[in-house]
């Protein structure tokens, strides 16, 4: 080991020690100080009740499957519609001008209204038209509300991705004789989509959480089920259970997305 | 008919000699020759592969090309030289209609390809272009880069042909690599192969060695030597004076948006007639 390596090893050891000690101090402070708070016994009883946790966990996990289902069928719809809106907003042909206007208005409206409000308006409003079963299902109209809102966001993300691809790429494709359409499909879009994967993953993690908002219009998914338990047992622990279940899904999902991105980057360099 | 040509001044234009392969119509220079220019433009439809007549191009107030006349015979190699900003790149981009021209005509085999509203897809298939910055598609392997246009435009699977091109230009081992994994020289050769895979009738090269490290320039110039030997019609914008001297049939010196002097390389490099040409050559050949 030469002088430089010895120095760097010592630096690393020192950094690790400092990090370990400071983390231990913070954790110890939380463990020691929080229980000293006057309301702690009450909080522990109503939020961290082990018996309630064990009792409600299986049912809440089952209710969470409804969230997962709604998420699963929303995602393809959101990505498809988002892409269509992004392309509509970029359409330059005069005949497609109405499409461009529509795309702009769509994005403005659904990004401008809070998700909860869209869910209320569509989830209660449309079935109010007196549609026959199953067309009055809150699952359908709740999904529609989520798709409308999130596709507006995804469309903007995709559009920024498309615009970030340098004009020289388009020129190279055009000069080979490719049509505008093929240039978009084979040259611009694949690069644009790849570039916005992280932003879109963040969108999907947010969507996974916002599915719980559908509890306001009917479906007994995890948040509503937790609410039922809260009233039944006069205890908030079911909400903590729900939070834990959400984290168990969203944290690995985000990490996996990062991993995929890194793998893709490494494969090509 | 070609537009007005105020950009050419009798004193600026020196008549070029015909290229070594015959067939090249040298441009008559000056006001006195105007009738003959029009004569030759009709003539050019039958003899020249590519003819430019009074081509003008401005970007806003910036006049980049102020009246270009040029004839290129089939199989001829023409080098455009001149300082940065003299309009070489713009001229190439106006030839394949990547930039629409403001005035004048561009004829390919006698067909007016600068006609507004013309479907340019088929035209661009016939004229290959390679850029200074390679512009390979980064999300595709080298081979996929080459196969995309033949597959989508010509509806042809040209895998065998592409593999032969890779082998010919010494890239057989790199076919399946992505652009990121290739050196600049290798990327530029892939870009040439990509253009050739469309079987163009002529090729334009826009300073294709300018972005390369000096030790990589040679491998790209070798590709051009090979193409030259095969009789490809080529127009090169270049700063490689040695290369222009070695291979060009004709050298055109551009300055202020016009071709001010042209002729065979021996004459342009050893006995330029205009002070501007001399000055430019002195500055680059030093």
């Amino acid at each position: 080991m030469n002088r430089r390596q010895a120095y760097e090893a010592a630096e690393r050891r020192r950094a690790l020690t400092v990090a370990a000690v400071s983390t231990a101090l913070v954790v110890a402070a939380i463990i020691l100080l929080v229980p000293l708070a006057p309301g702690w016994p009450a909080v522990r009883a109503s939020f961290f009740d082990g018996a309630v946790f064990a009792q409600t966990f299986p049912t809440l996990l089952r209710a969470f499957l409804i969230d997962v289902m709604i998420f699963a069928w929303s995602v393809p719809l959101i990505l498809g519609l988002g892409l269509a809106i992004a392309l509509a907003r970029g359409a330059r042909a005069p005949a497609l001008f109405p499409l461009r206007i529509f795309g702009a208005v769509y994005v403005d409206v659904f990004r401008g209204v809070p998700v909860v409000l869209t869910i209320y308006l569509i989830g209660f409003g449309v079935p109010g038209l007196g549609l026959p079963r199953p067309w009055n299902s809150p699952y359908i109209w709740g999904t529609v509300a989520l798709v409308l809102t999130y596709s507006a966001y995804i469309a903007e993300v995709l559009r920024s991705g498309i615009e970030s691809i340098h004009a020289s790429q388009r020129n190279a494709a055009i000069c080979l004789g490719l049509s505008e359409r093929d240039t978009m499909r084979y040259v611009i879009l694949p690069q644009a989509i790849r570039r916005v994967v992280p932003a879109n993953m963040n969108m999907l993690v947010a969507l996974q959480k916002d599915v719980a908002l559908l509890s306001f219009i009917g479906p007994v998914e995890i948040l509503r089920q937790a609410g039922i338990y809260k009233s039944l047992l006069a205890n908030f622990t079911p909400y903590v259970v729900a939070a834990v279940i959400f984290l168990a899904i969203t944290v690995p999902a985000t990490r996996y997305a990062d991993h995929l991105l890194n793998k893709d980057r490494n494969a090509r360099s | 008919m070609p537009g007005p040509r105020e950009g050419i001044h009798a004193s600026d234009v020196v008549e070029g000699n015909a290229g070594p392969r015959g067939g090249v119509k040298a441009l008559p220079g000056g006001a006195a020759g105007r009738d003959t220019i029009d004569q030759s433009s009709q003539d050019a439809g039958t003899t020249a592969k590519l003819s430019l007549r009074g081509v003008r191009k401005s970007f806003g107030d910036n006049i980049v090309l102020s009246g270009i006349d040029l004839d290129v015979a089939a199989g001829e190699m023409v080098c455009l030289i001149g300082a940065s900003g003299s309009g070489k790149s713009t001229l190439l981009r106006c030839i394949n209609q990547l930039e629409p021209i403001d005035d004048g005509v561009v004829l390919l085999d006698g067909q007016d390809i600068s006609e507004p509203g013309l479907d340019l897809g088929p035209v661009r298939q016939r004229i290959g272009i390679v850029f200074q910055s390679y512009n390979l598609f980064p999300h595709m392997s080298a081979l996929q880069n080459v196969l995309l246009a033949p597959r989508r435009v010509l509806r042809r699977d040209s895998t065998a042909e592409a593999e032969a091109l890779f082998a010919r230009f010494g890239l057989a081992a790199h076919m399946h690599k992505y652009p990121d994994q290739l050196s600049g020289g290798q990327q530029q050769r892939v870009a040439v192969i990509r253009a050739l895979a469309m079987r163009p009738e002529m090729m334009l090269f826009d300073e294709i060695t300018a972005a390369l490290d000096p030790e990589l320039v040679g491998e790209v110039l070798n590709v051009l030597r090979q193409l030259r030997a095969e009789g490809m019609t080529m127009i090169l914008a270049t700063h490689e004076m040695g290369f222009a001297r070695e291979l060009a049939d004709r050298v055109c010196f551009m300055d202020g948006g016009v071709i001010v002097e042209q002729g065979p390389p021996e004459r342009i490099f050893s006995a330029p007639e205009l002070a501007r040409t001399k000055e430019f050559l002195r500055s680059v050949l030093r």
Side-chain angles (χ1 to χ4, degrees), chain A residues 105-198:
Chain A
V105 171
Y106 182 96
V107 168
D108 282 350
V109 167
F110 288 107
R111 282 201 313 169
V113 177
V115 199
V116 187
L117 210 49
T118 309
I119 289 172
Y120 269 129
L121 290 176
I122 292 178
F124 287 135
V126 178
L129 294 173
L131 299 174
R133 279 161 67 114
W135 299 108
N136 58 0
S137 159
Y139 288 95
I140 293 179
W141 298 107
T143 303
V144 167
L146 286 176
V147 168
L148 288 175
T149 303
Y150 272 88
S151 58
Y153 281 102
I154 297 275
E156 278 306 274
V157 170
L158 278 174
R159 199 169 68 104
S160 71
I162 289 169
E163 281 169 5
S164 76
I165 303 301
H166 198 265
S168 61
Q169 286 285 309
R170 183 185 163 275
N171 285 346
I174 295 288
C175 285
L176 287 167
L178 259 71
S179 64
E180 290 282 352
R181 215 187 113 153
D182 282 350
T183 299
M184 180 53 84
R185 180 165 161 202
Y186 295 103
V187 176
I188 310 290
L189 266 189
Q191 297 185 61
I193 288 174
R194 227 164 283 214
R195 202 169 281 190
V196 297
V197 163

Side-chain angles (χ1 to χ4, degrees), chain B residues 134-178:
Chain B
Y134 337 133
N135 301 351
L136 293 180
F137 308 133
H139 60 298
M140 298 179 184
S141 71
L143 183 61
Q144 288 168 331
N145 262 278
V146 172
L147 293 181
L148 176 69
R151 193 168 283 162
R152 290 298 144 206
V153 182
L154 308 175
R155 305 277 158 201
R156 191 174 67 198
D157 179 53
S158 51
T159 311
E161 190 181 335
E163 285 173 355
L165 283 168
F166 275 100
R168 210 172 88 200
F169 295 125
L171 289 169
H174 303 294
M175 233 162 30
H176 298 291
K177 290 187 181 167
Y178 283 86

Side-chain angles (χ1 to χ4, degrees), chain A residues 10-55:
Chain A
E11 279 290 283
R12 259 199 310 278
R13 269 197 307 278
R14 195 173 150 267
L16 272 177
T17 315
V18 170
V21 168
S22 75
T23 308
L25 282 177
V26 170
V27 171
I30 291 171
I31 290 174
L32 294 173
L33 294 179
V34 169
L36 295 180
W40 171 243
V43 168
R44 189 178 55 186
S46 53
F47 283 87
F48 303 101
D49 186 320
V52 173
F53 195 105
Q55 181 195 348

Side-chain angles (χ1 to χ4, degrees), chain A residues 198-241:
Chain A
N200 279 335
M201 283 308 291
N202 286 335
M203 286 289 168
L204 294 186
V205 170
L207 169 68
Q208 172 63 67
K209 296 180 294 174
D210 278 355
V211 169
L213 294 175
L214 293 201
S215 62
F216 294 139
I217 59 168
V220 184
E221 47 67 70
I222 187 165
L223 184 58
R224 196 173 179 92
Q225 184 64 55
I228 292 169
Y229 274 129
K230 179 211 66 181
S231 310
L232 214 58
L233 305 171
N235 193 293
F236 288 104
T237 307
Y239 284 135
V240 176
V241 176

Side-chain angles (χ1 to χ4, degrees), chain B residues 33-103:
Chain B
R34 275 207 179 153
D35 291 336
T36 31
I37 290 183
D38 288 347
Q39 197 78 46
S40 77
S41 82
Q42 287 175 352
D43 211 27
T46 54
T47 61
K49 182 79 199 161
L50 180 81
S51 295
L52 279 68
R53 288 288 170 272
V55 169
R56 292 167 179 282
K57 178 71 188 174
S58 311
F59 295 101
D61 292 337
N62 181 21
I63 299 166
V64 184
L65 301 178
S66 48
I68 297 281
D69 295 284
L70 181 68
D71 289 289
V72 179
E76 195 184 9
M77 177 169 179
V78 173
C79 279
L80 305 174
I81 62 170
S84 300
S86 59
K88 305 186 295 293
S89 289
T90 305
L91 178 56
L92 293 181
R93 293 159 80 93
C94 285
I95 289 174
N96 84 337
Q97 307 300 309
L98 187 56
E99 299 286 355
I101 61 176
D102 298 340
D103 198 5

